[in-house]
Amino acid sequence: MKKVAIIMGSDSDLKAMQGAMDALKALEVPFAVRILSAHRTPEAASAFARGARDDGYGVIIAAAGKAAHLAGAMAANTLLPVIGVPMKSSTLDGLDALLSTVQMPSGMPVATVAIDGATNAALLAAQILALSDDALYQRFAAYRAAQTAKVVEKDKRIAEEYSCL
Ligand code: RP5
């Protein structure tokens, strides 16, 4: 099956991206994790994006903070879908990274999730891959059903514990 690439601008992004790795593991989606920077290692970053499809990737998740150009730089060098994750790594609480990631020019899309939205990035990547993978679609459906069941259970417990009727 196609792999997901999780690219980060720095190892300081690793902790915030743990949720993406956890979600992909839960869904049994293979993934690689790399540190590549649009600014510090621009040639390696663009080479990765150019070769990603031939290397078996189906989606690229790109996480970066501050002047976050990584997702856009990936998108500029591949036809694969790119999901951007703005990192809350600066004194501006990630608003800088959010705007840098989401405000792509027309014709060059990056699907941007919330600041530090690593889990949703992984789920979106899985949904994209599930379009052509029925087994993954079924695993994703089970993941959603389990999530729903957890909320129903919490509702029951909280209603019992806190309601005063
Ligand atoms: C970005 O700058 C990285 O994605 C990271 O979020 C931020 C800070 O990087 P470090 O200075 O911690 O390496 O490029």
Side-chain angles (χ1 to χ4, degrees):
M1 91 185 267
K2 296 272 188 200
K3 301 175 282 185
V4 172
I6 301 177
I7 311 298
M8 299 169 218
S10 168
D11 60 347
S12 63
D13 300 321
L14 195 54
K15 192 167 168 231
M17 289 306 292
Q18 186 61 51
M21 296 177 242
D22 293 344
L24 292 175
K25 271 186 197 162
L27 291 166
E28 298 172 43
V29 175
F31 62 91
V33 180
R34 297 286 306 275
I35 304 296
L36 295 168
S37 168
H39 304 126
R40 292 168 175 160
T41 61
E43 282 164 22
S46 61
F48 180 90
R50 282 197 302 273
R53 186 168 181 271
D54 286 345
D55 290 339
Y57 294 99
V59 184
I60 296 176
I61 295 173
K66 298 185 175 174
H69 298 136
L70 182 59
M74 287 283 141
N77 284 290
T78 182
L79 300 183
L80 294 178
V82 176
I83 302 170
V85 189
M87 295 279 94
K88 186 183 175 178
S89 60
S90 76
T91 49
L92 297 179
D93 277 344
L95 185 59
D96 46 358
L98 173 63
L99 296 178
S100 301
T101 304
V102 77
Q103 289 286 48
M104 287 295 290
S106 185
M108 196 58 64
V110 164
T112 305
V113 296
I115 296 168
D116 282 357
T119 301
N120 274 357
L123 296 178
L124 187 54
Q127 285 175 281
I128 292 167
L129 296 183
L131 288 171
S132 56
D133 185 327
D134 286 342
L136 177 56
Y137 183 87
Q138 294 306 328
R139 292 198 293 280
F140 187 76
Y143 181 97
R144 274 279 181 94
Q147 180 172 262
T148 300
K150 270 188 213 161
V151 176
V152 169
E153 171 55 30
K154 282 179 189 170
D155 171 46
K156 191 167 169 281
R157 185 165 46 78
I158 296 294
E160 279 170 11
E161 196 174 332
Y162 291 94
S163 295
C164 184
L165 301 172

